[in-house]
Amino acid sequence: MSHTLGIRQAQKQKTRQALLDAALGLLEEQSLSSLGLREVTRAVGVAPTAFYRHFRSTADLGVALVDEALGSLHPMVRTTVATPGDERITRAVRLIADHVAAHPAHVRFIARERHGGVQPVRAAIRDQLARFAEEVKTELAKDPGAEGWQDDDLLMLAHLYVDQMLITASLFLETLESPEPSEAERQRVTRIATRQMRLISLGRQHWLDQEP
């Protein structure tokens, strides 16, 4: 009995992942708000009713895609921010470039749906980014340079870094999607992204010099 249940559970998970993969592929050319569940089930080769065994709606599927796209990145982001000195920025830019190259469809989905028309998905992305910011803040608070900083200011700085990571991801995605992507263009974006993050770090160093 347990063996049979295990097989059924594995098949259910396989179908669920197939629906997610099909939706992500279809979203290459359209937004989630225009995606129909029949399109997704047709791509997988299952009946439309099978969709509801896994997701309540396309919005629910979109939320699952957000978790798939961003959920696994938290340990990597924490490890990267914990890296000391300028190596932190170098490692962050490299991490983003490699992630975009490996998962362009996920990055494109987040970039499009962050301000898209499906409220639950916007909220899921916002919650994931807020979680990133809290994790970045926790690591930044361990730096010697964080002495004297207010908690709200550290969180503001963390949000700046997270926003810059998203901007950097978009830049690398544009490079990847250009008619003739090249290593020279990738290196150019790497230099720009590194300088932009260093500018945030430079401002951080002088934040406490401001007038009260």
Side-chain angles (χ1 to χ4, degrees):
M1 177 68 74
S2 60
H3 178 67
T4 302
L5 288 174
I7 293 175
R8 287 178 180 173
Q9 186 62 32
Q11 183 58 48
K12 183 177 180 181
Q13 182 59 38
K14 183 178 178 181
T15 302
R16 183 181 190 275
Q17 188 60 53
L19 290 167
L20 287 169
D21 293 343
L24 192 62
L26 291 166
L27 289 169
E28 294 273 352
E29 303 297 335
Q30 61 182 309
S31 65
L32 184 64
S33 60
S34 64
L35 181 68
L37 69 87
R38 289 182 180 275
E39 289 181 82
V40 180
T41 54
R42 189 183 306 118
V44 176
V46 298
T49 53
F51 181 92
Y52 294 106
R53 297 187 194 125
H54 306 275
F55 305 104
R56 296 185 300 273
S57 62
T58 53
D60 189 38
L61 180 146
V63 170
L65 280 175
V66 172
D67 185 62
E68 184 176 78
L70 297 177
S72 64
L73 292 177
H74 291 279
M76 288 186 288
V77 169
R78 287 196 299 269
T79 300
T80 299
V81 178
T83 305
D86 285 344
E87 178 61 22
R88 170 187 291 162
I89 293 174
T90 302
R91 186 171 180 176
V93 173
R94 184 169 60 244
L95 169 68
I96 295 166
D98 291 345
H99 183 74
V100 171
H103 306 285
H106 278 128
V107 175
R108 189 178 302 107
F109 168 73
I110 295 299
R112 177 185 291 138
E113 299 301 330
R114 185 184 181 190
H115 303 293
V118 182
Q119 193 279 330
V121 174
R122 292 200 311 271
I125 295 172
R126 184 174 63 248
D127 290 346
Q128 285 280 359
L129 297 181
R131 182 179 161 195
F132 280 126
E134 287 288 349
E135 292 166 348
V136 170
K137 184 197 78 170
T138 298
E139 294 302 326
L140 292 176
K142 299 174 184 177
D143 287 353
E147 185 177 354
W149 277 65
Q150 298 294 322
D151 191 69
D152 286 349
D153 288 347
L154 272 177
L155 183 59
M156 178 177 64
L157 177 64
H159 275 291
L160 285 175
Y161 277 120
V162 171
D163 287 344
Q164 189 59 48
M165 288 178 185
L166 290 174
I167 292 170
T168 298
S170 295
L171 288 173
F172 278 117
L173 185 62
E174 288 175 9
T175 299
L176 198 66
E177 293 178 335
S178 64
E180 296 181 6
S182 66
E183 181 58 25
E185 182 63 14
R186 176 184 161 111
Q187 290 300 322
R188 185 187 72 83
V189 171
T190 297
R191 288 193 298 272
I192 291 172
T194 300
R195 292 183 69 189
Q196 288 173 335
M197 285 201 182
R198 283 179 177 162
L199 184 59
I200 295 174
S201 295
L202 183 63
R204 176 193 180 186
Q205 294 170 22
H206 297 281
W207 178 250
L208 296 181
D209 296 340
Q210 66 175 326
E211 291 293 328

